[in-house]
Amino acid sequence: MSIIYQKKNRIALITINRPEVRNALDPEAIVALNNAWIDFRDDPNLWVAIITGAGDKAFSAGADVRKIGEFYSKFSSAERLEMAEKEPGLGGITRNLEIWKPIIAAINGYCLAGGMEIALSCDIRIASENAVFGLTEAQLGIMPGAGGTQRLPRLIGPTKALEMMLLAKRINAQEALQIGLVNKVVPLPELMSTAMETAQTICERGPLAVRAIKKAVLRGLEMSLREGLLLEQYLAEPLRQSEDAKEGIRAFIEKRKPDFKGK
């Protein structure tokens, strides 16, 4: 099974399970991963997802170059462009699939090329001390094609992003933390427990509010400040009338934890 998809209470745990090839994605794994993301998006009982790689060597080294190359060789350039406009990109969440529920990347070991582009598509990135990051496609005479050229500059700025991509440079976990690529670095044995703790904390917040915050931030990055402020109010007003908001206020007054229902 190339993708392991588990549900633990309100948390979805997605594991790329091809450790023999540094969790590189072949066509079958990509389809399975896409299906997992769609199920997570559509399951009302799931509020947060964690994605990681099997073993302790790699989160994902990206595409399985040989198998992906064989697959795409069946299509013309025009057909491949048409597919890019409609189908989810590598890893499912890199293109054409909107998920407003929070996604955490638990990054163990190598996080390269398409694997890093999957991580960039997540909302929170927690790395183990042995993690290595890089958009190394230029070494193969190709470019990052699953969002890397767009998301990395927005995250760390164009200067550092261009340095990483043009030089196909790899950086370690501490440098990734310093430049804002990851949120936290922990010892490898603590990686999944830290990711689960983070997910559980998010699950204690109002799920409708959490999703609205994510949508406001990501959509707002594409807008002017004025447009973003209007979007913020458009999303905030319905929340004030939700059952979750009423429960949150009651719990605050009664000095107890709220029992959110996502309604």
Side-chain angles (χ1 to χ4, degrees):
M1 188 179 299
S2 59
I3 300 296
I4 300 172
Y5 181 43
Q6 301 168 290
K7 301 180 181 183
K8 298 184 177 182
N9 298 318
R10 297 201 179 275
I11 300 169
L13 180 58
I14 300 173
T15 305
I16 305 171
N17 187 36
R18 302 186 76 224
E20 70 281 0
V21 288
R22 292 183 176 177
N23 294 318
L25 296 171
D26 63 1
E28 292 76 15
I30 290 172
V31 170
L33 191 51
N34 290 346
N35 291 339
W37 287 126
I38 291 170
D39 185 86
F40 167 65
R41 180 196 65 186
D42 296 343
D43 189 335
N45 295 315
L46 295 174
W47 290 4
V48 183
I50 299 172
I51 181 169
T52 193
D56 57 5
K57 303 296 183 183
F59 173 76
S60 175
D64 188 322
V65 177
R66 180 174 298 176
K67 291 189 177 182
I68 292 293
E70 291 173 354
F71 175 78
Y72 280 109
S73 66
K74 303 172 186 177
F75 304 95
S76 68
S77 180
E79 288 172 328
R80 290 195 295 270
L81 284 172
E82 185 177 353
M83 291 166 64
E85 291 178 357
K86 298 178 180 178
E87 297 182 4
L90 182 75
I93 52 173
T94 60
R95 184 176 61 240
N96 297 335
L97 183 64
E98 291 182 334
I99 299 176
W100 301 121
K101 299 175 182 180
I103 301 172
I104 299 167
I107 302 164
N108 46 322
Y110 290 103
C111 182
L112 304 175
M116 181 166 161
E117 289 172 307
I118 293 172
L120 288 171
S121 302
C122 298
D123 306 303
I124 295 176
R125 286 165 291 279
I126 302 170
S128 61
E129 292 173 335
N130 69 327
V132 177
F133 298 84
L135 291 176
T136 54
E137 285 88 344
Q139 287 180 324
L140 302 178
I142 58 176
M143 65 178 284
T149 64
Q150 302 305 304
R151 290 192 174 93
L152 187 61
R154 285 170 167 79
L155 187 62
I156 67 172
T159 301
K160 195 66 180 179
L162 280 168
E163 177 188 342
M164 288 186 67
M165 288 185 280
L166 297 179
L167 276 65
K169 181 181 178 182
R170 300 184 183 193
I171 63 173
N172 61 30
Q174 287 301 324
E175 185 173 355
L177 181 64
Q178 291 168 6
I179 64 176
L181 178 56
V182 301
N183 299 81
K184 184 181 293 187
V185 176
V186 298
L188 180 60
E190 299 175 15
L191 178 63
M192 289 310 298
S193 61
T194 302
M196 287 295 294
E197 182 180 351
T198 303
Q200 288 163 355
T201 299
I202 295 173
C203 286
E204 294 174 1
R205 311 308 182 223
L208 299 181
V210 164
R211 294 166 204 171
I213 289 167
K214 176 175 176 176
K215 189 172 187 178
V217 170
L218 296 186
R219 284 274 175 84
L221 289 172
E222 303 169 357
M223 300 177 175
S224 68
L225 177 59
R226 182 176 182 277
E227 292 169 331
L229 292 172
L230 287 173
L231 171 66
E232 183 180 73
Q233 287 306 304
Y234 176 80
L235 295 171
E237 185 57 35
L239 287 177
R240 298 187 179 101
Q241 310 305 319
S242 69
E243 293 180 23
D244 277 358
K246 296 172 185 176
E247 165 62 13
I249 292 170
R250 281 196 302 269
F252 178 79
I253 293 171
E254 296 169 7
K255 297 181 180 180
R256 59 174 174 81
K257 283 188 176 183
D259 182 19
F260 294 120
K261 303 295 186 182
K263 299 179 180 180

